[in-house]
Amino acid sequence: MSVKRAIIWLSVALIDAILAWSVVVLVSNASYGLAVIVVLLLIFIDYALINPKGYPFLYMIPALIFMMILTVYPIYYTFQIAFENYVTGYMWSRQQVVSELLNTIVIKPNPKYFNYSVYTLYKKYSPTENFVLLLKGSQGKLYIAQTPEKTGKRYISRFEMLTDGSVSINGVKYSVVRSVKNPSKIVSIYSQKGNYVYFYSPMDHETFPNLKFFNMYYASILSRTEFVNPQMGTLFFTNKYGFSKLVTAKYEYTLSNMPVLENGKNVEKTVLINTLTGLPVVEKDFAFWNVNPKTGKKTKIIGYYGYAGLKNFKDLLTNKQIMAPFLSVFIWTFEWAALSVFFTFVAGLILAMILNNRNMRFRTVYRTLLIIPWAIPAFISIIIFRVGFFNVSFGIINKIFLEHWLHLGPINWFGNAFWAKVALLIVNTWLGFPYMMVISLGALQSIPNELYEAASIDGASKWHTFRKITFPLLMIPLAPLLIASFAFNFNNFNVIYLLTGGGPPIPHSITPAGQTDILLSYTYNLAFGGVSGRNYGLAAAISILIFLIIATISAVNFKLSGSFEEVNR
């Protein structure tokens, strides 16, 4: 027992250590929501493992982990984004934006250019990460740049001009070693730290076999290195020239403390300064703006995301260019779900009533054939309908039925909103009627024959029997299923996306809204499919709306099906 107990406590300690470390990492990366979820999991797991009364909860741990990470956290994250301006152009945090601006390099006016060669120390015939650079200026003067030293997130390298083939930098003497056969060629650079051998130069094709090693080990360092010389200025590898040459440049932005007017008071604050204009960068509307010193005109540099309150929800209600297409999509979503349920149910019920005739020959064969649309994967059927039936030029409907048989012009199935909706309803009815047929057939067979016999004796017609007996008794078991089918079609993304893609587009909409889009496809386009950009914040706000609608439908479904009452009993 003591060994078993020791194993349990060791397991608890190991799990706690892993989860605690995860919490620290998540908090350091500002992932507070996920950190809270991990803490809750830590508490629950400890309770289940340590407390004797928590033994039954041990079997819930895997399910709870998946539920918290795959369900609870996405819901939390969606709610968080819904209250932020997380859109294209504003997809970095403020800290990331400031860091990016501080690392922006601009080439100075009348710049000086330097070619370079890399000389590296070898260890056991293999190059190391210890290297120096030989720089060559425009006038043929040579300079040595020492190995870059890390200071914070950047690297600093001091370079000095060679005099009589040698130079001292920070107390270290470097001397060039020239080739005996070709004195103009420097084969190595000797110093107290060792002999640096010629390794790579973008101007020398013979060294290109070493380019892979250069990119793997040197490039990331050199891209963040400032080559400093008080007389010559500061050199950088810039985006314009890449690693082909060094050029005199400087950081476009820097931080500085200066008095700023805030609420009528002068406050000392750290602000970004544009080194080209000498003016502070203006920060407003979740973005940084440069100010033109002559005109005072502001030009946006870059934006960042942050808490925007109810802006996304407000845009849905007040911005006409967003509200109008959203309302169109919203109304069509309900129409689409209701009509889909209606047509599939009517078609399924009619076929079920026909198949319910026990005197019908080959009834089993017909029933099997009618279930085939349900058995075939939906995406295959949708593509066949799109390419084979509704194609404007050579589709079966336009080419055979309309052109050859009726001598009519073709229908623009996907270019006209009305016909695109008709095509969607036809396809969805084809995909959905087998399900309705099966559940209706099961419900019909549960109705006692005595009721029909009594109605027949009373002289009731078939329509009167259907209206007074069949349909009311069908609705008792089928009503919850019809509501569930409404909820399913409310978010039936596959048919919309694969058949029409949401098109044709709604005119004058500034969001990627189509006339056959439902809320889910519209949200998808906002978040992932927009040509003009991605609006995650607005998509998250609409997702919350969809969640509330589906939750309401589910609550009604539970109420009608009596699920809550059954549980209470």
Side-chain angles (χ1 to χ4, degrees):
M1 291 296 292
S2 59
V3 174
K4 182 179 178 181
R5 193 171 183 82
I7 293 174
I8 292 175
W9 280 106
L10 183 62
S11 301
V12 172
L14 182 62
I15 293 171
D16 286 355
I18 293 173
L19 293 179
W21 173 78
S22 301
V23 171
V24 173
V25 173
L26 290 170
V27 171
S28 63
N29 291 324
S31 298
Y32 304 114
L34 195 54
V36 170
I37 288 175
V38 174
V39 170
L40 294 176
L41 287 174
L42 177 62
I43 295 171
F44 181 84
I45 293 172
D46 281 354
Y47 174 79
L49 292 175
I50 297 173
N51 194 326
K53 295 181 180 180
Y55 180 77
F57 296 107
L58 285 174
Y59 302 99
M60 296 176 57
I61 290 175
L64 186 68
I65 291 173
F66 284 111
M67 185 190 75
M68 295 293 283
I69 295 176
L70 300 180
T71 303
V72 176
Y73 179 67
I75 292 174
Y76 160 79
Y77 193 63
T78 301
F79 271 84
Q80 178 183 340
I81 293 178
F83 295 92
E84 295 178 341
N85 62 320
Y86 200 61
V87 301
T88 298
Y90 295 81
M91 298 180 69
W92 284 358
S93 66
R94 185 181 183 278
Q95 183 178 356
Q96 290 173 318
V97 166
V98 171
S99 177
E100 183 68 18
L101 291 176
L102 291 175
N103 287 313
T104 304
I105 298 170
V106 289
I107 299 174
K108 288 184 176 181
N110 303 316
K112 299 174 183 178
Y113 301 96
F114 292 79
N115 294 321
Y116 71 96
S117 301
V118 179
Y119 291 76
T120 186
L121 281 178
Y122 277 76
K123 185 176 182 181
K124 295 182 180 179
Y125 305 103
S126 297
T128 66
E129 296 182 32
N130 195 346
F131 64 95
V132 296
L133 267 62
L134 178 69
L135 311 182
K136 185 176 182 180
S138 56
Q139 298 178 354
K141 295 180 180 179
L142 298 178
Y143 303 81
I144 296 291
Q146 67 178 148
T147 305
E149 295 181 359
K150 192 170 185 180
T151 55
K153 294 183 179 180
R154 300 172 182 171
Y155 290 84
I156 300 294
S157 173
R158 181 74 179 266
F159 72 97
E160 296 288 348
M161 187 175 67
L162 283 167
T163 303
D164 296 329
S166 63
V167 65
S168 292
I169 306 174
N170 295 333
V172 179
K173 186 176 181 181
Y174 297 90
S175 302
V176 297
V177 179
R178 298 181 180 273
S179 170
V180 177
K181 295 182 179 180
N182 184 7
S184 64
K185 185 176 182 180
I186 298 175
V187 295
S188 66
I189 298 174
Y190 181 78
S191 76
Q192 302 161 357
K193 296 182 178 181
N195 191 41
Y196 295 86
V197 179
Y198 180 51
F199 182 73
Y200 171 75
S201 172
M203 309 299 292
D204 186 355
H205 290 77
E206 293 182 1
T207 63
F208 281 11
N210 297 328
L211 179 59
K212 182 178 180 180
F213 187 93
F214 173 86
N215 289 331
M216 288 180 62
Y217 297 100
Y218 297 160
S220 60
I221 296 174
L222 294 174
S223 63
R224 292 177 289 165
T225 300
E226 302 174 29
F227 296 89
V228 181
N229 180 284
Q231 289 76 34
M232 302 298 299
T234 306
L235 309 180
F236 293 89
F237 287 102
T238 61
N239 292 332
K240 184 176 181 180
Y241 297 103
F243 289 106
S244 62
K245 62 181 70 177
L246 280 159
V247 60
T248 51
K250 64 177 181 178
Y251 289 106
E252 187 173 1
Y253 301 95
T254 186
L255 291 174
S256 178
N257 292 325
M258 63 181 300
V260 177
L261 188 63
E262 246 184 33
N263 299 323
K265 297 181 180 179
N266 283 325
V267 181
E268 191 80 13
K269 290 187 68 175
T270 302
V271 296
L272 274 171
I273 302 293
N274 187 319
T275 58
L276 299 178
T277 63
L279 297 176
V281 174
V282 175
E283 182 179 359
K284 69 171 186 176
D285 299 331
F286 300 99
F288 290 98
W289 305 72
N290 274 327
V291 180
N292 189 309
K294 296 181 179 179
T295 63
K297 183 180 178 180
K298 298 182 180 66
T299 305
K300 191 177 86 169
I301 312 167
I302 191 171
Y304 58 89
Y305 66 83
Y307 177 74
L310 298 173
K311 181 181 181 302
N312 294 313
F313 298 93
K314 184 179 178 182
D315 287 342
L316 285 176
L317 300 175
T318 58
N319 190 332
K320 292 183 178 180
Q321 290 182 304
I322 296 177
M323 182 179 66
F326 171 75
L327 287 177
S328 175
V329 171
F330 185 81
I331 294 170
W332 163 242
T333 303
F334 279 91
E335 293 175 347
W336 155 254
L339 291 173
S340 294
V341 173
F342 175 77
F343 287 124
T344 54
F345 178 63
V346 169
L349 180 58
I350 291 172
L351 292 171
M353 293 183 69
I354 295 172
L355 292 173
N356 196 42
N357 184 359
R358 296 181 180 179
N359 298 321
M360 184 182 200
R361 298 182 64 186
F362 307 113
R363 187 172 64 154
T364 304
V365 175
Y366 294 140
R367 186 167 53 192
T368 303
L369 292 174
L370 289 171
I371 290 177
I372 288 177
W374 195 16
I376 297 174
F379 75 92
I380 295 177
S381 299
I382 295 169
I383 293 172
I384 290 173
F385 269 99
R386 178 180 175 85
V387 177
F389 285 84
F390 298 122
N391 187 278
V392 177
S393 302
F394 51 82
I396 293 174
I397 296 177
N398 280 355
K399 194 71 177 176
I400 297 177
F401 295 131
L402 295 179
E403 183 179 337
H404 289 292
W405 291 6
L406 302 177
H407 304 289
L408 297 175
I411 295 175
N412 187 6
W413 289 103
F414 304 121
N416 181 279
F418 173 78
W419 289 113
K421 292 177 180 179
V422 170
L424 282 169
L425 291 170
I426 291 173
V427 173
N428 209 38
T429 301
W430 171 262
L431 296 174
F433 84 82
Y435 169 74
M436 292 297 183
M437 181 189 71
V438 170
I439 63 174
S440 298
L441 192 58
L444 284 170
Q445 292 174 353
S446 67
I447 300 175
N449 286 328
E450 291 82 359
L451 296 175
Y452 293 110
E453 292 174 359
S456 177
I457 293 172
D458 291 339
S461 64
K462 290 185 178 181
W463 167 248
H464 193 76
T465 302
F466 172 79
R467 192 165 62 89
K468 293 297 184 178
I469 298 174
T470 305
F471 191 74
L473 291 177
L474 278 176
M475 284 298 100
I476 294 173
L478 294 187
L481 297 177
L482 293 177
I483 295 173
S485 180
F486 180 91
F488 170 78
N489 284 291
F490 194 88
N491 284 332
N492 195 347
F493 175 81
N494 292 344
V495 179
I496 304 294
Y497 184 76
L498 294 175
L499 191 65
T500 66
I506 296 176
H508 311 298
S509 173
I510 61 174
T511 57
Q515 300 189 62
T516 59
D517 265 321
I518 58 175
L519 285 173
L520 189 61
S521 63
Y522 176 53
T523 303
Y524 173 83
N525 289 331
L526 278 172
F528 306 108
V531 177
S532 59
R534 300 179 176 184
N535 193 332
Y536 293 104
L538 188 59
I542 297 174
S543 298
I544 293 174
L545 180 63
I546 295 174
F547 170 78
L548 295 175
I549 293 171
I550 297 300
T552 303
I553 294 172
S554 300
V556 173
N557 195 10
F558 278 122
K559 189 68 176 176
L560 289 178
S561 62
S563 295
F564 291 140
E565 286 79 5
E566 184 178 340
V567 171
N568 291 332
R569 287 196 296 268

